[in-house]
């Protein structure tokens, strides 16, 4: 927005630089006001929206440093805005925006339903590719449309070279919008959580189910990046936290089937353009997906970090 309350003759470049500086100042002030609140999850209170995804709180408004703002609007192409903290190199490789871990990370940063620290990263067997079953004595199995998620980690400081030997911790809700370790009915489970190291091609693959859609959020998957599987044991070691999302038509097709509770209605009431995380841009976070509800889906995303 241009300011017309004072004359100027510095030209367009000066105006753009000033506007960019003002935007950065506003975001810095917002982050200062929020402070550490993005980590103190259950106490977020009015900052989180009501939803069915565990205990009546969702992660659509609480933010970590550089997270998406609900005040922005997405372009038709879903281009990522600077408020998400992404940057682009000369080769077109972008740093994945940093997003909130939400109330249900299970990474040792908060307490679960039992009142003790919830840390799936400390469980025996958490390094695994198939995350549909619970582990470490828990026996639950998440059911839903099969989904393979393949994340390719690349270095934005080295012409998008693949990053091998890193690790991805990935988690999401089940078909009913519940998060294991936190949500009523699945507090004793730890399914839909797992760690995978990246191979020589920079890729980590997870076999899971298509996530449900709970009130207030579009369907999404959370992930954290670690330097290695050995350091993926506690949230304090993470390099970055973000979220990925899905094309709306695929979610609509999935939720038309059975087993997804209120997902169809919840999904119809929201879109990527007004989701609290993705409304400021999602071009680097939306997956490329193939498959069908009958055969299952394969979702791919290239994720850039400045290594």
């Amino acid at each position: 927005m241009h300011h017309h309350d004072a004359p100027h003759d510095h030209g367009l470049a000066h105006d753009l630089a000033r506007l960019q500086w003002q935007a950065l100042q506003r975001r810095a002030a917002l982050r200062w006001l929020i402070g550490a609140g993005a980590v103190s999850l259950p106490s977020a209170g009015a900052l989180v929206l009501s939803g069915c995804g565990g205990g009546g709180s969702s992660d659509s408004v609480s933010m970590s440093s550089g997270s998406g703002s609900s005040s922005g609007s997405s372009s038709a192409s879903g281009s990522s805005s600077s408020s998400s903290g992404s940057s682009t190199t000369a080769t077109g490789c972008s740093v994945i925006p940093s997003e909130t871990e939400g109330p249900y990370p299970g990474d040792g940063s908060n307490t679960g339903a039992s009142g003790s620290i919830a840390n799936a990263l400390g469980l025996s067997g958490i390094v695994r590719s198939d995350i549909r079953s619970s582990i470490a004595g828990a026996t639950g199995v998440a059911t839903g449309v099969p989904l393979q998620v393949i994340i390719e980690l690349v270095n934005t400081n080295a012409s998008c070279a693949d990053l091998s030997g890193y690790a991805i911790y990935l988690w999401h809700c089940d078909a009913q919008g519940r998060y294991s370790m936190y949500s009523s009915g699945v507090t004793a489970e730890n399914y839909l959580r797992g760690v995978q190291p990246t191979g020589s091609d920079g890729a980590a693959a997870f076999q899971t189910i298509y996530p449900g859609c709970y009130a207030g959020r579009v369907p999404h998957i959370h992930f954290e990046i670690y330097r290695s599987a050995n350091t993926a044991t506690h949230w304090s070691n993470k390099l970055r936290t973000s979220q990925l999302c899905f094309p709306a038509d695929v979610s609509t097709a999935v939720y038309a089937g059975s087993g997804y509770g209120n997902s169809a209605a919840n999904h119809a009431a929201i879109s990527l353009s007004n989701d609290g995380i993705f409304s400021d841009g999602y071009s680097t976070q939306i997956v490329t997906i193939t498959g069908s509800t009958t055969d299952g889906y394969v979702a791919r995303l290239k994720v850039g970090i400045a290594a």
Side-chain angles (χ1 to χ4, degrees), residues 92-119:
C93 180
S94 297
V95 173
I96 193 76
S98 178
E99 306 287 12
T100 174
E101 67 274 24
Y104 318 114
D107 60 1
S109 62
N110 70 351
T111 57
S114 66
S116 58
I117 296 296
N119 189 7

Side-chain angles (χ1 to χ4, degrees), residues 47 51 63 116 121 130 197 217 265:
L47 287 178
M63 293 181 290
S116 58
L121 296 175
D130 192 332
R217 286 299 315 275

Side-chain angles (χ1 to χ4, degrees), residues 26-233:
R26 287 193 296 270
R27 287 195 294 273
L30 179 60
R31 287 195 296 270
W32 182 86
L33 287 171
I34 294 174
V39 177
S40 181
L41 300 165
S43 63
L47 287 178
V48 295
L49 295 176
S50 175
C52 65
S57 296
S58 85
D59 53 1
S60 59
V61 180
S62 63
M63 293 181 290
S64 59
S65 177
S67 68
S69 168
S70 60
S71 63
S73 61
S74 169
S75 68
S77 63
S79 60
S80 181
S81 74
S82 60
S83 64
S84 291
S86 65
S87 61
T88 305
T89 68
T91 61
C93 180
S94 297
V95 173
I96 193 76
S98 178
E99 306 287 12
T100 174
E101 67 274 24
Y104 318 114
D107 60 1
S109 62
N110 70 351
T111 57
S114 66
S116 58
I117 296 296
N119 189 7
L121 296 175
L123 297 176
S124 175
I126 193 63
V127 180
R128 58 193 181 137
S129 58
D130 192 332
I131 64 174
R132 292 173 290 185
S133 299
S134 290
I135 55 175
T139 58
V141 178
T143 59
V145 174
L147 172 69
Q148 185 181 40
V149 177
I150 302 172
I151 293 177
E152 181 189 357
L153 192 63
V154 298
N155 186 359
T156 60
N157 285 339
S159 301
C160 299
D162 292 325
L163 288 171
S164 63
Y166 283 67
I168 308 291
Y169 168 45
L170 181 144
W171 75 97
H172 62 86
C173 70
D174 65 14
Q176 287 74 48
R178 304 172 301 181
Y179 284 87
S180 66
M181 306 177 75
Y182 296 87
S183 301
S184 177
V186 293
T187 56
E189 305 299 342
N190 48 56
Y191 56 48
L192 305 181
R193 300 178 184 275
V195 174
Q196 272 290 281
T198 59
S200 59
D201 58 354
F206 298 86
Q207 186 62 48
T208 186
I209 63 163
Y210 203 93
C213 182
Y214 53 87
R217 286 299 315 275
V218 294
H220 61 282
I221 290 179
H222 299 261
F223 61 93
E224 292 174 347
I225 301 168
Y226 290 82
R227 182 58 188 83
S228 68
N230 290 334
T231 63
T233 57

Side-chain angles (χ1 to χ4, degrees), residues 241-260:
T241 305
S242 195
Q243 300 180 27
L244 60 80
C245 56
F246 300 89
D249 60 334
V250 176
S251 297
T252 298
V254 170
Y255 301 149
S258 61
Y260 276 86

